[in-house]
Amino acid sequence: MDAKQYEADIQYKGSFITECSFDNNIIDAVTDCELTHQLSVSVSDQISCSDPSKKAAYVRLILDGVYSLSDGSDASCKYHMALHGIFEIDKAVPDEDFISKLWFNGSATLYSVARSKMEVMSSMVLNHGKIELPMVNMYELLKAQSEKEKNNSSS
C-alpha cells in the first residue's frame, strides 16, 4: 500500500524537557521490576511562527511513574518528566484539522521521543538496566482522558 496518501502534513520541529526528576533508592534492579505509569497530554493555543505561511503549536506530555522491585521491598525509582514538542502545519489547513493532528500525531510522536529520553536518562540513574516505557495506544488514552475531563467538569 502506498503510504504517501496517508502522510500527515504536520511537521515535528523539535522538543525540550521543562521538568525532570528521579527519586531513586534502588541499589540493584536487574530483574523482577514493575512499572506503574501515568501520562497526560495537552495541546497549546497557536503560537507565533517565523514562517508566515505556517502556523504552530505545542504538545505537552507529563509522565509520572514508579519503577519498583516486585519483591515487596520499598526500593523504587520515582520519576516525573514534562516534555514539550513544537509542531507546524501549512496555514491553509483548517484550525480544527490542525488541532486534531496535534492531539493524535503530535502526542504519538512526542511519546516516542519521551520513551527514548527516559531510557537514556534512567540508565544513568539506575545501577543496572533502564526504565522502558510501554507502547501506548494514543487514541484510547486520549479518549479516556477526554471522558475523565468531561466527568470532572460536570461534577
Side-chain angles (χ1 to χ4, degrees):
M1 178 172 275
D2 182 13
K4 180 121 179 101
Q5 64 185 337
Y6 301 105
E7 287 179 5
D9 47 0
I10 188 171
Q11 297 297 313
Y12 169 69
K13 301 307 283 183
S15 61
F16 54 94
I17 296 172
T18 56
E19 301 169 29
C20 186
S21 64
F22 289 88
D23 183 11
N24 181 35
N25 67 358
I26 296 177
I27 295 180
D28 204 3
V30 177
T31 60
D32 297 330
C33 291
E34 297 174 356
L35 177 66
T36 57
H37 178 60
Q38 301 291 317
L39 171 64
S40 66
V41 180
S42 60
V43 172
S44 75
D45 292 332
Q46 289 183 29
I47 59 171
S48 61
C49 187
S50 59
D51 184 343
S53 68
K54 306 275 185 189
K55 52 187 168 184
Y58 288 105
V59 173
R60 180 180 71 175
L61 299 183
I62 297 178
L63 301 95
D64 289 291
V66 179
Y67 185 69
S68 57
L69 299 179
S70 54
D71 63 3
S73 69
D74 290 335
S76 66
C77 179
K78 297 175 185 166
Y79 64 85
H80 170 79
M81 181 189 298
L83 183 68
H84 297 251
I86 187 166
F87 296 85
E88 286 184 355
I89 201 165
D90 191 277
K91 205 169 217 158
V93 173
D95 288 348
E96 187 175 292
D97 290 350
F98 182 38
I99 290 169
S100 178
K101 289 175 182 184
L102 287 167
W103 280 104
F104 293 105
N105 300 86
S107 65
T109 300
L110 201 55
Y111 185 67
S112 292
V113 172
R115 290 181 74 217
S116 64
K117 290 186 182 296
M118 180 60 71
E119 285 190 16
V120 170
M121 288 187 291
S122 66
S123 71
M124 292 186 274
V125 171
L126 297 169
N127 211 17
H128 292 97
K130 59 190 173 189
I131 297 174
E132 295 179 12
L133 298 177
M135 293 290 294
V136 171
N137 180 328
M138 260 322 152
Y139 174 77
E140 294 296 330
L141 181 132
L142 292 171
K143 189 166 76 171
Q145 180 179 306
S146 177
E147 287 297 317
K148 184 177 179 182
E149 289 171 1
K150 283 180 190 175
N151 291 338
N152 287 344
S153 66
S154 66
S155 306

